[in-house]
Amino acid sequence: MVYNWRQLLFPPTCLVCGQPGESGLDICQACHANLPRNHSACPCCAQPLTTSIGAPCGSCARRAPPFERIISPWLYQAPMDDLIRQLKFQQKLPAGRLLAQLLAQEIPGENRPDLLVPVPLHPRQLKARGFNHASEITRALSGELGIPWSPWLLRKTRETLPQHNLGKQQRKKNLRACFSFDNHRHYQHVAVIDDVVTTATTAVEVARTLKNAGVEKVHIWALARTPMNR
């Protein structure tokens, strides 16, 4: 009944086009269908491929990454990129809730992790920005899936340069040994939540940090993937 009254007082409205939303979500049927699917992707790193081969891409085949899998259902293209920017740069929290609801629909029901953690910001960056968009997605996703989450166990211990301005090798050096994970509760399976995966450098470094802390299985759950090789 609470849910029904909430729908009556605050009817869902599409955050893309402004039309009425569907199924209680702030996105209409047309815009939902228009989200750019990452159909032909590496089953390991979710790198977009030209054809679906059902096997790891060349990069993952040559050197298996420290994570078990990246789930990234969409491409970083319109209108998914606009929804992410609404949350990340405009601090529109309804966009974070919608993105979490959409991502929750893409997560397999079996073999789910013990814990969700967002990719963290350095404390100075968090103070300057005011919030961590990955934390907002993770908070809502935790509620959707019923999986515990923590904004504090995975930490960024030193400041780094913006990744988008760096080349492949510079990205790796920039993030080297910049994360820490407090695994005092001995979590064995952890999913790390982010908005976009570009080169997977962050995913690799975070997964390596978690594995060094005793985590056996690491998944990366991200909304969108950009078609760039690691």
Side-chain angles (χ1 to χ4, degrees), residues 10-177:
F10 306 102
T13 301
C14 182
L15 297 179
V16 179
C17 70
Q19 296 296 312
E22 62 153 338
S23 304
L25 301 180
D26 285 325
I27 190 168
C28 69
Q29 185 175 3
C31 291
H32 194 174
N34 199 38
L35 293 176
R37 299 290 307 191
N38 188 11
H39 288 296
S40 300
C42 170
C44 181
C45 74
Q47 167 71 28
L49 305 172
T50 55
T51 58
S52 179
I53 58 176
C57 66
S59 178
C60 291
R62 288 190 298 272
R63 184 177 182 179
F67 51 78
E68 274 61 41
R69 185 184 180 189
I70 293 179
I71 294 179
S72 189
W74 297 282
L75 299 173
Y76 190 63
Q77 298 172 355
M80 176 55 70
D81 56 354
D82 179 64
L83 289 172
I84 291 173
R85 285 194 293 264
Q86 286 186 39
L87 172 65
K88 190 171 184 177
F89 301 115
Q90 302 174 32
Q91 300 190 14
K92 292 185 177 180
L93 298 185
R97 182 180 65 246
L98 172 62
L99 291 170
Q101 291 169 331
L102 294 173
L103 184 56
Q105 295 175 356
E106 304 294 326
I107 302 302
E110 71 282 354
N111 194 25
R112 288 188 169 176
D114 312 314
L115 178 72
L116 308 180
V117 294
V119 171
L121 299 175
H122 186 270
R124 288 196 188 93
Q125 187 179 12
L126 180 60
K127 183 178 180 180
R129 182 177 292 184
F131 85 130
N132 180 0
H133 62 285
S135 288
E136 296 303 323
I137 296 170
T138 309
R139 184 200 312 275
L141 188 62
S142 172
E144 292 289 325
L145 299 178
I147 301 174
W149 80 290
S150 171
W152 309 118
L153 295 181
L154 179 62
R155 301 174 60 193
K156 194 169 186 180
T157 56
R158 66 175 177 81
E159 291 186 273
T160 58
L161 298 172
Q163 287 286 92
H164 61 268
N165 293 327
L166 304 177
K168 179 179 178 180
Q169 296 304 318
Q170 290 175 311
R171 285 172 178 257
K172 293 180 180 179
K173 184 178 180 180
N174 186 46
L175 291 182
R176 192 168 297 147

